Amino acid sequence: MISIETDILAKNNQFAKSNRQLFTGRNIFALNLLGSPGSGKTTILEQTLDSLGMHLRCASSKVINRQTMTRCG
């Protein structure tokens, strides 16, 4: 019997570590919302932004500020 162990997520983990360092170094709070279509990702993001009650710069052009009806940016 031969045991082969390979960390199939090693490259992904390295990218994630690099991204965390980049975001931390630039004082960026980043979220990666994952879910199936219709699971409420956009709704929870919009409601969170509304409840914060402040102007925020957003990277996604698909997020719309409900108060001003303009895209974040």
Side-chain angles (χ1 to χ4, degrees):
M1 181 181 266
I2 299 173
S3 176
I4 300 174
E5 293 184 29
T6 302
D7 184 358
I8 60 172
L9 296 177
K11 191 171 185 177
N12 184 68
N13 291 338
Q14 185 56 42
F15 282 128
K17 181 179 178 182
S18 176
N19 285 339
R20 282 191 298 272
Q21 290 172 341
L22 175 72
F23 295 144
T24 300
R26 295 182 179 179
N27 199 28
I28 296 172
F29 178 74
L31 293 174
N32 186 14
L33 300 177
L34 301 173
S36 60
S39 64
K41 299 176 299 292
T42 302
T43 299
I44 196 161
L45 181 56
E46 288 174 340
Q47 290 180 359
T48 300
L49 291 172
D50 285 346
S51 70
L52 291 173
M54 61 178 93
H55 176 72
L56 299 171
R57 289 178 47 200
C58 304
S60 174
S61 63
K62 294 182 181 183
V63 176
I64 298 175
N65 182 321
R66 288 179 185 225
Q67 292 176 351
T68 62
M69 294 308 288
T70 60
R71 295 188 184 277
C72 295

